């Protein structure tokens, strides 16, 4: 069962247990992680599930799709080189310990 570590903008750390096959967004909302709004329900249409991926994990994620790339340009918080949409990060055993930071706003 992969775990995910979230860092909030105030430095608070929260670790949750996820299930293989669900997205990082689904795991976050299931555990009431504040800062992940996911207004479109994971359909890559809202960018309110924006996260910053820890550099050590970035290369281990699947490549970004065109829709995700375009949406991130319109994210409320500044887009950075390690920005991803958490609804597009599918969790598997090899992502156990994934570290994601939350932006200071989603809208
Ligand atoms: S939940 Fe809407 S883009 Fe991820």
């Amino acid at each position: 069962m992969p775990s995910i570590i979230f860092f909030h903008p105030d430095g608070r750390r929260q670790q949750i247990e996820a299930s293989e096959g669900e997205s990082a967004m689904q795991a976050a909302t299931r555990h009431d992680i504040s800062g992940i709004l996911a207004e479109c329900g994971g359909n890559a249409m809202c960018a309110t599930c924006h996260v910053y991926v820890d550099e050590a994990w970035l290369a281990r994620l699947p490549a970004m799709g065109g829709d995700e790339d375009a949406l991130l340009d319109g994210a409320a918080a500044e887009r950075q080189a390690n920005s991803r949409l958490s609804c597009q990060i599918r969790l598997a055993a090899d992502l156990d310990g994934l570290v994601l930071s939350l932006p200071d706003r989603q809208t």
Side-chain angles (χ1 to χ4, degrees):
M1 195 182 286
S3 65
I4 312 176
I5 298 163
F6 287 94
F7 282 98
H8 293 264
D10 63 2
R12 197 161 39 95
R13 178 189 191 277
Q14 238 182 320
Q15 183 164 349
I16 63 170
E17 297 301 321
S19 300
E20 285 185 45
E22 71 178 344
S23 70
M25 176 280 282
Q26 288 171 318
T29 54
R30 198 159 52 77
H31 289 275
D32 295 324
I33 297 289
S34 61
I36 297 288
L37 302 185
E39 288 175 348
C40 78
N43 292 309
M45 293 174 64
C46 73
T48 62
C49 64
H50 180 198
V51 292
Y52 301 117
V53 179
D54 185 274
E55 298 292 336
W57 290 93
L58 206 50
R60 296 162 71 166
L61 298 183
M64 185 184 302
D67 287 352
E68 181 179 0
D69 194 12
L71 266 176
L72 281 167
D73 283 340
E78 181 189 1
R79 180 177 182 171
Q80 299 179 5
N82 60 342
S83 286
R84 294 294 302 258
L85 296 179
S86 58
C87 71
Q88 302 303 302
I89 301 173
R90 190 67 51 193
L91 297 169
D94 64 344
L95 292 180
D96 181 32
L98 178 66
V99 179
L100 303 174
S101 293
L102 297 159
D104 60 0
R105 63 190 184 282
Q106 295 284 13
T107 60

